Amino acid sequence: MPVPVDTYSRALAAEGVPDEVTGLLTYLFTTVLDGRNAHLGDGVQQVLGRPARDFSDYADDTAATGIWTSKDAI
């Protein structure tokens, strides 16, 4: 359940969080992380000529090659 910004700010203050930190966090949660930056660009497509991949798919595929296996573990 979402917490109202004023409730969050008061809770931070009650815990002794400095005003400048509370202000920064409030800004982040109300402006930067409000969804306006949630769109994807097409930079990967433009540069690589293929669509972007989900990072978890990349990590799973790369891990399966064994490239990240420590030589000590072999």
Side-chain angles (χ1 to χ4, degrees), residues 4-23:
V5 174
D6 58 334
T7 302
Y8 178 69
S9 296
R10 283 194 305 272
L12 291 174
E15 292 297 322
V17 175
D19 290 343
E20 60 272 9
V21 175
T22 298

Side-chain angles (χ1 to χ4, degrees), residues 39-54:
H39 71 281
L40 295 176
D42 64 350
V44 170
Q45 176 72 43
Q46 289 181 13
V47 173
L48 299 180
R50 63 166 177 77
R53 297 178 61 186
D54 184 277

Side-chain angles (χ1 to χ4, degrees), residues 1 7 9 11 18-19 23-24 26 31 33-34 38 41 43 45-46 52 58 62-63 66 68-69 74:
M1 176 164 73
T7 302
S9 296
D19 290 343
L24 173 63
T26 300
T31 304
L33 302 176
D34 67 354
Q45 176 72 43
Q46 289 181 13
Y58 160 77
T62 302
W68 294 331
T69 303
I74 299 175

